[in-house]
Amino acid sequence: MGVGGSAPSETAPRLLDAEYLVLSSRLIPGLDGGYTIATLARARQLASAGVDGGRGPQLLTFDPATTAAHDEHRRLFAEQGALIEPARLRNLFDEAQAPGGGSATWLRAAADAGAAPDPGVEYRVLEDAEGRPFAALPVIPANPDWHLSTAPVLVYDAVGAVAGAVRGFRGLYRAWLEHVTASLGDRTIVVICESRQLGELVADWSDPRVRIVHTVHTIHLEAPYTVDAPMNALWTRWLALADRFDAVVWPTATQRDDVVARFGSSAAHAVVPNPIAPVEHHDDLRESGLVVVLGRLAPGKRVDQAIRAFLAADVAGSRLEIWGGGPEADRLHALIDELDAGERVVLAGHTDDPGRVLDRASVVVTSTAFEGQPLGVVEALLHGAPVVAYDVRYGIRDVLAGGGGVLVPDGDVDALGAAIGRVLRDHDLRARLSAEAPTVAAAWSPERSLDALTSVLGAVVSHPSRR
């Protein structure tokens, strides 16, 4: 899970002197998949490069759960080795509470004392551990653009009365960020923003100390995921703001290139592959004829196509194990029954040891409609398992172009089945792909990722803010 260590490596690239902050909408164990893994890995990368003496950046989160819940998140991340120093994971709402009740001093200072609740808006009142209100958030139901609401966020005094309000979530978030950065003096502050919603709200942050590096974790396209496919409103607005960030960091070159070709190069685009730590794989566990699908059982993963392709390959003695859970499980059970494939295709459920599953696999198949970052493909290659995949945006082609697997046209179930059959039947081909796999995966190593990241950060620290 990314890079670890609590002290800077003797061989790690050094960063220019600055304060480093990582902004994330939320960081919750077991939630948001690759996003959470990649965000925490980036923080550990910065620690390995010497940020704050190896303690790493401050991680600033914005989800309004309870302090007890956030404490549990810190404990679990530390237990998993994902977080070097739990105190570096901070949360706005933990710090919005005054010890004696009501809102913290910084929040009261930011509030307009004459502001009142919006009578047309429902409010969610937040209370401290003693049941005392300290803030109230406007509830914007069924609206993906809730973060843009200008409805007042209410601020309470020590006796539980409304003492004023700040203007929307932008006002609340910016008040905290200005509080956090107020103690940093004249130092350059590098803000690594991991969330597009947060990015929209800080894109006009004109503090001359601040440099904003915005990372990307997901595909920017909607179905059918072609280079000119439509985008949702959040992506459209965000791309219109991209040139305000001091750097925009993409996980793959193909996505960066597609964006530049479609929208121009006015933003400062860069590519930093997400780090995936090397593993010790066990070829002695490899099982002849075992085909594996590993991941969430969601509609976009198109696991039904992987099942049909596997059956079409029709290789004697082969079997398919599908590992993971999700909303498609019942439909896939029904499909397996319909195809009378229960003896060869198994929905194996969740695994706590995905590495062992990949060590056992002769072939790993991915039939997803899209990707944002190729973590699953790289992990399969690290375990020496050849990958057969649809050629979809983004990331899979970036990886398999170097070897270790077979790409087939998107959505061509017959071609996917033929490729599965070819790799299973051809021992020499399978051995070659398996031997290539770890070398190909090394392009996503922590060392190469850190080299790319420090290059980007060095450039932004060395230049004035773009805002």
Side-chain angles (χ1 to χ4, degrees), residues 1-21:
M1 189 178 183
V3 291
S6 58
S9 164
E10 292 181 2
T11 59
R14 301 292 297 186
L15 291 169
L16 295 178
D17 184 51
E19 184 74 27
Y20 291 85
L21 308 176

PDB file of all heavy atoms in Angstrom, residues 1-21:
ATOM      1  N   MET A   1       0.854  -1.191   0.000  1.00  0.00           N
ATOM      2  CA  MET A   1       0.000   0.000   0.000  1.00  0.00           C
ATOM      3  C   MET A   1       0.890   1.241   0.000  1.00  0.00           C
ATOM      4  O   MET A   1       1.206   1.821   1.015  1.00  0.00           O
ATOM      5  CB  MET A   1      -0.893  -0.023   1.236  1.00  0.00           C
ATOM      6  CG  MET A   1      -1.963   1.025   1.266  1.00  0.00           C
ATOM      7  SD  MET A   1      -2.949   0.787   2.769  1.00  0.00           S
ATOM      8  CE  MET A   1      -4.172   2.048   2.548  1.00  0.00           C
ATOM      9  N   GLY A   2       1.397   1.596  -1.177  1.00  0.00           N
ATOM     10  CA  GLY A   2       2.210   2.794  -1.307  1.00  0.00           C
ATOM     11  C   GLY A   2       3.565   2.645  -0.657  1.00  0.00           C
ATOM     12  O   GLY A   2       4.126   1.572  -0.577  1.00  0.00           O
ATOM     13  N   VAL A   3       4.119   3.767  -0.192  1.00  0.00           N
ATOM     14  CA  VAL A   3       5.435   3.774   0.416  1.00  0.00           C
ATOM     15  C   VAL A   3       5.298   4.008   1.895  1.00  0.00           C
ATOM     16  O   VAL A   3       4.392   4.650   2.371  1.00  0.00           O
ATOM     17  CB  VAL A   3       6.320   4.873  -0.210  1.00  0.00           C
ATOM     18  CG1 VAL A   3       6.664   4.529  -1.624  1.00  0.00           C
ATOM     19  CG2 VAL A   3       5.663   6.222  -0.139  1.00  0.00           C
ATOM     20  N   GLY A   4       6.225   3.479   2.666  1.00  0.00           N
ATOM     21  CA  GLY A   4       6.138   3.620   4.109  1.00  0.00           C
ATOM     22  C   GLY A   4       7.388   4.236   4.664  1.00  0.00           C
ATOM     23  O   GLY A   4       8.264   4.693   3.961  1.00  0.00           O
ATOM     24  N   GLY A   5       7.492   4.233   6.000  1.00  0.00           N
ATOM     25  CA  GLY A   5       8.685   4.758   6.658  1.00  0.00           C
ATOM     26  C   GLY A   5       8.419   6.077   7.319  1.00  0.00           C
ATOM     27  O   GLY A   5       7.716   6.919   6.779  1.00  0.00           O
ATOM     28  N   SER A   6       9.031   6.283   8.486  1.00  0.00           N
ATOM     29  CA  SER A   6       8.790   7.505   9.236  1.00  0.00           C
ATOM     30  C   SER A   6       9.954   8.467   9.180  1.00  0.00           C
ATOM     31  O   SER A   6       9.905   9.522   9.787  1.00  0.00           O
ATOM     32  CB  SER A   6       8.491   7.151  10.697  1.00  0.00           C
ATOM     33  OG  SER A   6       9.570   6.431  11.258  1.00  0.00           O
ATOM     34  N   ALA A   7      11.001   8.105   8.461  1.00  0.00           N
ATOM     35  CA  ALA A   7      12.153   8.986   8.357  1.00  0.00           C
ATOM     36  C   ALA A   7      12.553   9.101   6.907  1.00  0.00           C
ATOM     37  O   ALA A   7      12.326   8.189   6.112  1.00  0.00           O
ATOM     38  CB  ALA A   7      13.316   8.432   9.188  1.00  0.00           C
ATOM     39  N   PRO A   8      13.129  10.238   6.497  1.00  0.00           N
ATOM     40  CA  PRO A   8      13.517  10.401   5.107  1.00  0.00           C
ATOM     41  C   PRO A   8      14.575   9.399   4.701  1.00  0.00           C
ATOM     42  O   PRO A   8      15.522   9.140   5.436  1.00  0.00           O
ATOM     43  CB  PRO A   8      14.057  11.835   5.062  1.00  0.00           C
ATOM     44  CG  PRO A   8      14.357  12.201   6.466  1.00  0.00           C
ATOM     45  CD  PRO A   8      13.422  11.427   7.309  1.00  0.00           C
ATOM     46  N   SER A   9      14.406   8.832   3.515  1.00  0.00           N
ATOM     47  CA  SER A   9      15.389   7.894   2.995  1.00  0.00           C
ATOM     48  C   SER A   9      16.655   8.634   2.585  1.00  0.00           C
ATOM     49  O   SER A   9      16.606   9.769   2.116  1.00  0.00           O
ATOM     50  CB  SER A   9      14.793   7.164   1.780  1.00  0.00           C
ATOM     51  OG  SER A   9      15.786   6.537   1.030  1.00  0.00           O
ATOM     52  N   GLU A  10      17.801   7.959   2.751  1.00  0.00           N
ATOM     53  CA  GLU A  10      19.064   8.587   2.374  1.00  0.00           C
ATOM     54  C   GLU A  10      19.145   8.804   0.875  1.00  0.00           C
ATOM     55  O   GLU A  10      19.874   9.669   0.397  1.00  0.00           O
ATOM     56  CB  GLU A  10      20.237   7.711   2.838  1.00  0.00           C
ATOM     57  CG  GLU A  10      20.384   7.641   4.359  1.00  0.00           C
ATOM     58  CD  GLU A  10      21.554   6.792   4.771  1.00  0.00           C
ATOM     59  OE1 GLU A  10      22.262   6.291   3.866  1.00  0.00           O
ATOM     60  OE2 GLU A  10      21.780   6.635   5.986  1.00  0.00           O
ATOM     61  N   THR A  11      18.389   8.013   0.102  1.00  0.00           N
ATOM     62  CA  THR A  11      18.450   8.134  -1.348  1.00  0.00           C
ATOM     63  C   THR A  11      17.256   8.868  -1.942  1.00  0.00           C
ATOM     64  O   THR A  11      17.195   9.078  -3.137  1.00  0.00           O
ATOM     65  CB  THR A  11      18.525   6.742  -1.981  1.00  0.00           C
ATOM     66  OG1 THR A  11      17.383   5.974  -1.597  1.00  0.00           O
ATOM     67  CG2 THR A  11      19.791   6.007  -1.534  1.00  0.00           C
ATOM     68  N   ALA A  12      16.275   9.259  -1.116  1.00  0.00           N
ATOM     69  CA  ALA A  12      15.079   9.929  -1.632  1.00  0.00           C
ATOM     70  C   ALA A  12      15.415  11.344  -2.084  1.00  0.00           C
ATOM     71  O   ALA A  12      16.235  12.018  -1.467  1.00  0.00           O
ATOM     72  CB  ALA A  12      14.000   9.984  -0.549  1.00  0.00           C
ATOM     73  N   PRO A  13      14.780  11.817  -3.170  1.00  0.00           N
ATOM     74  CA  PRO A  13      14.981  13.199  -3.592  1.00  0.00           C
ATOM     75  C   PRO A  13      14.542  14.153  -2.492  1.00  0.00           C
ATOM     76  O   PRO A  13      13.576  13.893  -1.776  1.00  0.00           O
ATOM     77  CB  PRO A  13      14.075  13.319  -4.830  1.00  0.00           C
ATOM     78  CG  PRO A  13      13.776  11.918  -5.246  1.00  0.00           C
ATOM     79  CD  PRO A  13      13.836  11.092  -4.018  1.00  0.00           C
ATOM     80  N   ARG A  14      15.243  15.258  -2.353  1.00  0.00           N
ATOM     81  CA  ARG A  14      14.906  16.240  -1.332  1.00  0.00           C
ATOM     82  C   ARG A  14      14.010  17.311  -1.926  1.00  0.00           C
ATOM     83  O   ARG A  14      14.198  17.745  -3.068  1.00  0.00           O
ATOM     84  CB  ARG A  14      16.167  16.893  -0.774  1.00  0.00           C
ATOM     85  CG  ARG A  14      17.133  15.917  -0.143  1.00  0.00           C
ATOM     86  CD  ARG A  14      16.602  15.297   1.130  1.00  0.00           C
ATOM     87  NE  ARG A  14      16.368  16.288   2.169  1.00  0.00           N
ATOM     88  CZ  ARG A  14      16.007  15.994   3.408  1.00  0.00           C
ATOM     89  NH1 ARG A  14      15.825  14.739   3.756  1.00  0.00           N
ATOM     90  NH2 ARG A  14      15.816  16.931   4.297  1.00  0.00           N
ATOM     91  N   LEU A  15      13.045  17.749  -1.141  1.00  0.00           N
ATOM     92  CA  LEU A  15      12.156  18.820  -1.565  1.00  0.00           C
ATOM     93  C   LEU A  15      12.700  20.165  -1.108  1.00  0.00           C
ATOM     94  O   LEU A  15      13.408  20.258  -0.101  1.00  0.00           O
ATOM     95  CB  LEU A  15      10.767  18.609  -0.965  1.00  0.00           C
ATOM     96  CG  LEU A  15       9.973  17.420  -1.515  1.00  0.00           C
ATOM     97  CD1 LEU A  15       8.759  17.169  -0.655  1.00  0.00           C
ATOM     98  CD2 LEU A  15       9.565  17.669  -2.946  1.00  0.00           C
ATOM     99  N   LEU A  16      12.345  21.216  -1.848  1.00  0.00           N
ATOM    100  CA  LEU A  16      12.685  22.559  -1.409  1.00  0.00           C
ATOM    101  C   LEU A  16      11.929  22.869  -0.121  1.00  0.00           C
ATOM    102  O   LEU A  16      10.827  22.365   0.115  1.00  0.00           O
ATOM    103  CB  LEU A  16      12.327  23.573  -2.495  1.00  0.00           C
ATOM    104  CG  LEU A  16      13.117  23.446  -3.807  1.00  0.00           C
ATOM    105  CD1 LEU A  16      12.625  24.485  -4.807  1.00  0.00           C
ATOM    106  CD2 LEU A  16      14.606  23.600  -3.565  1.00  0.00           C
ATOM    107  N   ASP A  17      12.513  23.711   0.712  1.00  0.00           N
ATOM    108  CA  ASP A  17      11.922  24.022   2.006  1.00  0.00           C
ATOM    109  C   ASP A  17      10.584  24.721   1.829  1.00  0.00           C
ATOM    110  O   ASP A  17      10.492  25.754   1.158  1.00  0.00           O
ATOM    111  CB  ASP A  17      12.873  24.906   2.814  1.00  0.00           C
ATOM    112  CG  ASP A  17      12.331  25.166   4.209  1.00  0.00           C
ATOM    113  OD1 ASP A  17      11.973  24.188   4.893  1.00  0.00           O
ATOM    114  OD2 ASP A  17      12.253  26.342   4.600  1.00  0.00           O
ATOM    115  N   ALA A  18       9.552  24.163   2.420  1.00  0.00           N
ATOM    116  CA  ALA A  18       8.200  24.726   2.371  1.00  0.00           C
ATOM    117  C   ALA A  18       7.352  23.949   3.367  1.00  0.00           C
ATOM    118  O   ALA A  18       7.757  22.913   3.893  1.00  0.00           O
ATOM    119  CB  ALA A  18       7.603  24.607   0.966  1.00  0.00           C
ATOM    120  N   GLU A  19       6.165  24.467   3.641  1.00  0.00           N
ATOM    121  CA  GLU A  19       5.175  23.736   4.432  1.00  0.00           C
ATOM    122  C   GLU A  19       4.260  23.013   3.451  1.00  0.00           C
ATOM    123  O   GLU A  19       3.815  23.592   2.445  1.00  0.00           O
ATOM    124  CB  GLU A  19       4.354  24.691   5.287  1.00  0.00           C
ATOM    125  CG  GLU A  19       3.380  24.009   6.208  1.00  0.00           C
ATOM    126  CD  GLU A  19       4.046  23.334   7.399  1.00  0.00           C
ATOM    127  OE1 GLU A  19       5.135  23.779   7.813  1.00  0.00           O
ATOM    128  OE2 GLU A  19       3.465  22.361   7.913  1.00  0.00           O
ATOM    129  N   TYR A  20       3.976  21.748   3.715  1.00  0.00           N
ATOM    130  CA  TYR A  20       3.172  20.944   2.793  1.00  0.00           C
ATOM    131  C   TYR A  20       1.867  20.513   3.483  1.00  0.00           C
ATOM    132  O   TYR A  20       1.888  19.950   4.580  1.00  0.00           O
ATOM    133  CB  TYR A  20       3.962  19.713   2.334  1.00  0.00           C
ATOM    134  CG  TYR A  20       5.129  20.078   1.436  1.00  0.00           C
ATOM    135  CD1 TYR A  20       6.359  20.443   1.987  1.00  0.00           C
ATOM    136  CD2 TYR A  20       4.988  20.101   0.053  1.00  0.00           C
ATOM    137  CE1 TYR A  20       7.425  20.801   1.170  1.00  0.00           C
ATOM    138  CE2 TYR A  20       6.046  20.456  -0.767  1.00  0.00           C
ATOM    139  CZ  TYR A  20       7.261  20.810  -0.200  1.00  0.00           C
ATOM    140  OH  TYR A  20       8.304  21.174  -1.012  1.00  0.00           O
ATOM    141  N   LEU A  21       0.761  20.793   2.813  1.00  0.00           N
ATOM    142  CA  LEU A  21      -0.568  20.417   3.291  1.00  0.00           C
ATOM    143  C   LEU A  21      -1.246  19.571   2.220  1.00  0.00           C
ATOM    144  O   LEU A  21      -1.175  19.894   1.032  1.00  0.00           O
ATOM    145  CB  LEU A  21      -1.431  21.652   3.560  1.00  0.00           C
ATOM    146  CG  LEU A  21      -0.862  22.745   4.461  1.00  0.00           C
ATOM    147  CD1 LEU A  21      -1.829  23.920   4.510  1.00  0.00           C
ATOM    148  CD2 LEU A  21      -0.601  22.209   5.861  1.00  0.00           C
TER     149      LEU A  21
END
